[in-house]
Amino acid sequence: MSGPGRFVRVPAGPAGLTGPTGPDADGVVLHVLVEGSGPPVVLSAGLAMAWFDWDPVAELLVAAGRTVVRFDRPGHGLSAPAVRAPSAAGEAHRIAGLLDALGLGAERVTVAGHSIAAFHAEAFARLYPGRTAAVVLVDGSVEERPRTALPAGVRTGAARAFGRAVTAVGLPAALGPWARRTAVRASRAGGADDPAARVVRRCYRTGRVWRGALLENAAYPDTAAEVLALRAELPLTAPATVLVARPARAARTCAGWAARRRWPTSWEPGSWSRSRPGTWSCWTARTKWRGRSCTRCDRRLRRLRRRPGYPA
């Protein structure tokens, strides 16, 4: 397991950027870990996750001759608390500012985002095409028609209030590490323990992480809508790889799950690639389900492949 890295204050706002930028980055102090040498790769974890969730991937990338940059978004891991609701463009600017602060501003980087961070990775690739070597969306969030019943300000205010309330009554200290370990066991094939148990308490006993996750979740529909707007205005010029995964025990629902999360087929389908099978069974645009199969899944896959524009 990797230990903590260092802390970097990212300048607030992008420099010399044109287009639909949205809110700027906010200058929050970020926790970042840089390892290895070679072409840079930026790894951004999913909602309520931290830098150490990338440990197995980072180890492989460093061994393959890459500079691996892992960071915690505001209110996540060991970074400072979030001061505003996040946005896709704001997080893209944050990645750019972090790379500048690390002396990697002149490098073309591969950006990988997991879950909700796939929105941020895609936004970076669209807003900073000259700085993007490739983009990898790992089990990324997808919303074709993001909707919400409440205005953004109401959702953000409610998230802040709820975060303060749960912190005041001591829920993060009492339940935070347990909730993290329980979620990890439930989501990993075989119910494996969290390999980062030694640092879980340091991160998840704090109200800072709970408040950061609540704020990011409250802004989720707005972030999704923002990415859709970016797709309409800015082309994706970098090679894109999309990975969709589910545990092997959920194979009976795999095809329908993957079909509901199909990315736009206008994204260079030639760059979509087969992922290596392992503990997690992966399904991508060009592969059948890797794991247990069933007649129902096969039928759904055949129907999906008959859709117009689906990669051959």
Side-chain angles (χ1 to χ4, degrees):
M1 181 196 69
S2 62
R6 55 181 164 136
F7 295 90
V8 176
R9 182 181 293 277
V10 176
L17 183 69
T18 59
T21 61
D24 292 342
D26 43 33
V28 170
V29 174
L30 302 180
H31 169 249
V32 57
L33 179 62
V34 182
E35 301 169 293
S37 61
V41 180
V42 178
L43 305 178
S44 186
L47 179 70
M49 302 178 79
W51 86 96
F52 49 75
D53 287 299
W54 286 107
D55 274 355
V57 175
E59 181 180 351
L60 293 173
L61 290 172
V62 169
R66 294 279 188 154
T67 297
V68 179
V69 178
R70 291 183 273 170
F71 73 100
D72 296 321
R73 295 189 300 281
H76 289 62
L78 297 178
S79 288
V83 298
R84 67 169 70 171
S87 68
E91 294 308 314
H93 302 330
R94 193 184 312 282
I95 293 171
L98 176 62
L99 292 170
D100 291 340
L102 295 174
L104 297 171
E107 301 274 357
R108 286 171 58 85
V109 301
T110 297
V111 182
H114 170 237
S115 188
I116 194 173
F119 286 151
H120 313 152
E122 181 183 346
F124 179 89
R126 292 182 184 277
L127 291 168
Y128 295 90
R131 299 180 62 171
T132 307
V135 60
V136 182
L137 310 183
V138 184
D139 233 354
S141 299
V142 175
E143 293 294 337
E144 295 180 357
R145 300 178 186 84
R147 297 185 299 271
T148 178
L150 298 174
V154 174
R155 285 182 278 111
T156 298
R160 292 186 187 278
F162 185 63
R164 288 192 295 267
V166 298
T167 302
V169 299
L171 280 181
L175 299 178
W178 172 85
R180 155 80 192 198
R181 288 192 297 269
T182 301
V184 167
R185 291 194 190 102
S187 62
R188 288 189 176 154
D193 287 332
D194 190 347
R198 288 180 293 173
V199 295
V200 164
R201 282 196 299 273
R202 183 175 176 184
C203 295
Y204 291 89
R205 282 177 59 88
T206 68
R208 169 181 50 82
V209 170
W210 285 52
R211 293 192 301 271
L214 287 167
L215 194 60
E216 197 165 87
N217 188 64
Y220 176 88
D222 311 296
T223 304
E226 186 183 357
V227 170
L228 289 178
L230 288 174
R231 288 176 184 168
E233 297 188 35
L234 298 174
L236 184 63
T237 58
T241 300
V242 179
L243 302 180
V244 183
R246 287 293 280 171
R249 64 177 178 272
R252 64 182 179 276
T253 61
C254 62
W257 187 90
R260 290 194 298 273
R261 286 154 179 78
R262 186 168 58 94
W263 277 263
T265 55
S266 58
W267 288 19
E268 311 172 14
S271 67
W272 292 31
S273 60
R274 180 188 303 270
S275 58
R276 292 184 58 188
T279 304
W280 287 73
S281 298
C282 295
W283 187 96
T284 66
R286 288 190 163 186
T287 67
K288 284 189 175 182
W289 178 253
R290 306 184 65 84
R292 291 181 293 121
S293 184
C294 65
T295 304
R296 179 186 178 193
C297 288
D298 291 338
R299 285 199 302 267
R300 286 188 173 182
L301 282 169
R302 285 195 294 270
R303 286 199 298 270
L304 177 60
R305 289 196 175 98
R306 286 197 295 267
R307 294 183 180 181
Y310 189 83

